[in-house]
Amino acid sequence: MIGITQEKLPQEQLYQPPPQGTWTYADYARLPDNGMRYEVIKGELYTSPAPRAIHQEMISHIALEIGLFLRQHKVGKIYFAPIEVVMGNAAAPVQPDIIFIRQERLAIVQDNIEGVPDLIVEVLSPGSIGHDRRRKFSLYAEVGVPKYWLADPDECLVEVYVLRGQAYALLGQFVGEDSIHSEVLPDLHLPVHTICPA
């Protein structure tokens, strides 16, 4: 549970955060804008601090490379955190590092994303490894995210997972000169060395 500083307000205006397990999007919307990343997964509130520079560098490289690809191949759009992605009550919301949505599904893009993206990329940080590898891994499979990439900036490695039935299967681990191939972006060939921090 997080600590929320409350200002001196009349009793009827005091906000009492709900107990873990009962958080909703409405509760999330009342949280302070204080630089923390908040996510609500199955009614539980999770927080993470601002990411490291190496994390942000890898996000910008991936977003740039996919963005350049999408300028030539009008097959969808890419978005990156902070952006709210609401996928029913299970994720209300989460804030993935990078998401891709195919052109024919762009109706889910409103002020935030109201639906399941076609691809989610999470860049690992020391404080997020368990969150991204276990909690979000399970959540994204459960709600039906077709493709999930886990990118490790320290190891210059990308794991590509594809949804097979109700579970993810590892399509491959890509490092160095390897090119990432994606079923959701079939013409994309993304050499890992181009997205790793310098």
Side-chain angles (χ1 to χ4, degrees), residues 9-58:
L9 297 171
Q11 188 64 34
E12 66 273 10
Q13 292 181 7
L14 285 178
Y15 171 62
Q16 295 296 321
Q20 282 289 57
T22 65
W23 280 80
T24 65
Y25 184 84
D27 298 314
Y28 160 86
R30 297 185 73 168
L31 291 168
D33 185 6
N34 59 5
M36 297 290 286
R37 184 187 291 189
Y38 297 105
E39 298 180 298
V40 176
I41 298 175
K42 296 185 176 179
E44 302 275 334
L45 177 68
Y46 298 94
T47 63
S48 55
R52 303 178 301 159
I54 191 173
H55 178 276
Q56 294 299 83
E57 194 175 338
M58 191 168 209

Side-chain angles (χ1 to χ4, degrees), residues 79-153:
Y79 300 89
F80 47 90
I83 189 166
E84 297 173 4
V85 179
V86 179
M87 297 180 281
N89 291 333
V94 289
Q95 296 195 42
D97 290 322
I98 299 172
I99 62 171
F100 167 74
I101 301 168
R102 290 176 307 160
Q103 192 73 30
E104 61 269 24
R105 298 189 62 249
L106 288 175
I108 70 171
V109 180
Q110 305 297 317
D111 289 336
N112 53 25
I113 310 302
E114 295 277 348
V116 176
D118 296 287
L119 166 67
I120 290 181
V121 181
E122 296 285 7
V123 176
L124 299 174
S125 289
S128 75
I129 291 174
H131 192 57
D132 294 334
R133 282 197 177 281
R134 290 187 295 277
R135 192 171 295 115
K136 283 186 164 182
F137 190 92
S138 173
L139 169 72
Y140 294 159
E142 180 182 320
V143 298
V145 176
K147 312 293 179 269
Y148 184 35
W149 297 4
L150 282 170
D152 186 334

